[in-house]
Amino acid sequence: MKAKHKTRVLLLGPSLTGVGGVTTHVRVLLGSHLADRFDLTHFEVGSEGRSERRLARVWRLFTSLVTLSVVLARKRPDIVHLNTSLNTKAAVRDMLLLGVARLAGTNAVMQVHGGAPLGRFVAHNKTLGWCLRHALRSAQAVVVLSQTELGAYRAWDPSIKLHLVPNAVDESALSDQPRSLRSHDTLRLLYLGRLVESKGVFEAIEALVILNRQGRSVELSLAGAGPDEMKLRARVAEAGLDQCVRFLGPVFDDEKRRALMDADVFVFPTHQEALPYALLEALAAGCVPVSCPVGAIPEVMQDGIHGLLVPPVNVAALAEALAKLDDDRASIVRMAVAGASRVRQFYTTERLSADFGRLYASL
């Protein structure tokens, strides 16, 4: 008897060597148990932060549309899984790619990762909002990362077929080493993500200036790369923080895990988010987060239980939270345990595989 073929899923996303959250998500899916049940293939789209002229962007988009059409005709996947963000360039590109998939008669899953909040995005450009509404209506499933997003999309258009599937991290990332109490050592901070102003990395530097003036022994490691790196380096030098700020560059796999395990606190005062992988990775490693109540972050972590939450773009509050942890090192140990337990219960790839397995099977 001829064996039934696996359902073929074409995963659209950036280069797998990139550093963004969407790249991480695609890598997690490809490396999960989902690949045991489904035939997963990656299809690369996006510029991955490259600086391009307009004509080059248009040409790359055109070639992506043509290449996708060819792949759909030759490989005939059962499902196309698009991963988009609510910024103009990504949204326009992915709506066009979604149109190609639907014209080919392929079932489409559109997953939204961050970018601007839905209300702000559709209010900023009414025409683009109208296009987005009709594009999402045409998809067989639209995946969002948080209860907040789920409510916003339902209120905006109840006819969109919505599914809630939060991000997750590999079980191997979970810390099995209890954090030791280091009462008198330097407080070690880690920022992990793109070096861009909207992630709050400049507020982290300014908070360090305040802590330094207070005579506290604090170090900050910046892991990542981005368009504001040179501006950030200049501010570090201007503030005289060269001895307590390290630029690690992009880190991956074991190097990322070591950076998280070596740090006491994950400082991530981002201005807007969906559900950042860096936050889940920090919690899994027992690196206590200090972040902002934006996007799904307050759904993942409770203030004072798994870490501390501060208002976005508030340097004084951020410095105060870090000083609080410096003065109460026992709370770091306690919250590290609670954070790892939270991830183990709700944010593992086993759960992610099961969620997407049910969604793919339903299509």
Side-chain angles (χ1 to χ4, degrees), residues 200-214:
V201 64
F202 285 93
E203 283 88 71
I205 295 298
E206 298 308 321
L208 197 64
V209 170
I210 294 174
L211 297 174
N212 197 39
R213 287 174 183 162
Q214 294 174 353

Side-chain angles (χ1 to χ4, degrees), residues 168-250:
V169 292
D170 191 284
E171 287 80 347
S172 64
L174 285 161
S175 174
D176 54 5
Q177 304 172 15
R179 290 274 168 165
S180 58
L181 180 63
R182 300 186 307 107
S183 302
H184 304 293
D185 291 351
T186 297
L187 185 69
R188 296 174 297 192
L189 312 178
L190 174 69
Y191 169 87
L192 175 63
R194 293 190 71 221
L195 301 184
V196 61
E197 187 174 355
S198 63
K199 296 292 184 181
V201 64
F202 285 93
E203 283 88 71
I205 295 298
E206 298 308 321
L208 197 64
V209 170
I210 294 174
L211 297 174
N212 197 39
R213 287 174 183 162
Q214 294 174 353
R216 296 179 182 273
S217 180
V218 183
E219 294 178 351
L220 172 62
S221 296
L222 301 172
D228 290 334
E229 180 173 347
M230 297 311 298
K231 182 179 174 183
L232 198 60
R233 286 181 179 273
R235 178 56 188 141
V236 168
E238 180 187 19
L241 297 175
D242 303 84
Q243 298 303 309
C244 54
V245 176
R246 294 189 304 155
F247 288 82
L248 303 181

